[in-house]
Amino acid sequence: MSDPDDRPQAAMVVPQFLVHQRITLMVNRYEIRAAAPDGSEGQLLALAEQRRMKLREEVDFYADESKTRRLFSFRARQRLDVRADHDVFDENGVVLGGFRKEFAASLLRSTWRLSAPGLEVVGRERSAFVAILRRIWDVLPYVGDVWVPFVFHFDFADAATGRPVMVSERRWGVRDRYTVTVPDPRLDFRIAASMAVALDALQSR
């Protein structure tokens, strides 16, 4: 087995970053910020925007609030399909990688498959107990209509070796906030950030 340090690095590598959702009337916005050494929010890396009521899911990531420069994006290949493949594009429209939700496996425990050059990754909801509890809560009469901020985490591992590639951990709170750690340098930040936002934006799909 090769040494992890010998693995080729992606073009953009960010070992840890934070995702913070901001809800507005017509769009969902996500701030992606670098994680400071003490765990606090550092510089803005990208601002993501998901427009609602679109037939084809698409999220754009901009350099700042002015939205004059789109850094990257992800878009579903199919319309209104929970099993849709999503492609991640760089600022020039070149495909960097992609991801999709494994519908059958996700019936009990949310599962995603992520692809990047030379890398196939499987991501699963960490706690089977929380996964089942969320599903039971959603179908219970009356109480299922009460919103509860379940804290759930996702672990992504190399499908070939089982080594950790990416971890998304939700922080407790009313607003959705996540700490994302990427120990594998082969995973490009743009793919990792797209997957991290999709875990929130598409999780209920």
Side-chain angles (χ1 to χ4, degrees):
M1 187 177 294
S2 62
D3 191 306
D5 293 334
D6 294 334
R7 292 175 292 183
Q9 289 202 1
M12 293 181 64
V13 178
V14 179
Q16 189 175 70
F17 57 91
L18 309 173
V19 178
H20 180 195
Q21 183 190 33
R22 294 190 298 170
I23 301 175
T24 62
L25 182 61
M26 294 302 296
V27 300
N28 287 340
R29 288 194 176 96
Y30 297 86
E31 289 184 3
I32 296 90
R33 293 185 174 273
D38 63 357
S40 62
E41 294 184 352
Q43 70 179 82
L44 181 69
L45 300 176
L47 180 69
E49 192 168 278
Q50 175 202 29
R51 296 190 179 278
R52 300 174 187 172
M53 297 180 292
K54 294 192 67 174
L55 293 179
R56 192 187 302 271
E57 195 66 59
E58 183 173 0
V59 176
D60 294 315
F61 294 76
Y62 299 96
D64 52 39
E65 293 275 1
S66 69
K67 297 189 291 185
T68 56
R69 181 189 173 194
R70 186 172 66 177
L71 299 175
F72 56 98
S73 62
F74 73 78
R75 183 170 67 246
R77 296 181 191 172
Q78 299 86 21
R79 295 184 178 183
L80 299 178
D81 187 349
V82 295
R83 294 162 291 188
D85 289 283
H86 293 76
D87 293 312
V88 180
F89 302 89
D90 70 8
E91 60 182 316
N92 298 312
V94 177
V95 176
L96 298 170
F99 56 86
R100 71 175 183 272
K101 192 171 187 178
E102 299 287 0
F103 182 70
S106 296
L107 292 177
L108 289 179
R109 191 174 180 181
S110 294
T111 303
W112 295 78
R113 185 168 289 272
L114 183 153
S115 300
L119 191 60
E120 291 293 328
V121 182
V122 176
R124 293 188 178 90
E125 197 169 352
R126 181 181 301 171
S127 172
F129 172 75
V130 172
I132 294 172
L133 180 61
R134 289 197 299 112
R135 285 154 177 77
I136 293 175
W137 186 269
D138 286 341
V139 300
L140 287 176
Y142 304 111
V143 298
D145 294 329
V146 179
W147 180 76
V148 175
F150 288 106
V151 177
F152 51 90
H153 313 303
F154 279 86
D155 298 306
F156 289 77
D158 188 321
T161 66
R163 287 174 174 165
V165 173
M166 171 177 147
V167 177
S168 175
E169 296 182 303
R170 178 171 176 167
R171 300 180 178 185
W172 176 259
V174 175
R175 292 188 177 183
D176 296 343
R177 296 163 61 90
Y178 303 88
T179 298
V180 182
T181 306
V182 185
D184 195 318
R186 294 174 297 172
L187 185 60
D188 193 285
F189 162 70
R190 294 164 291 185
I191 302 175
S194 295
M195 184 74 258
V197 168
L199 288 175
D200 185 274
L202 311 182
Q203 178 59 26
S204 62
R205 301 288 176 93

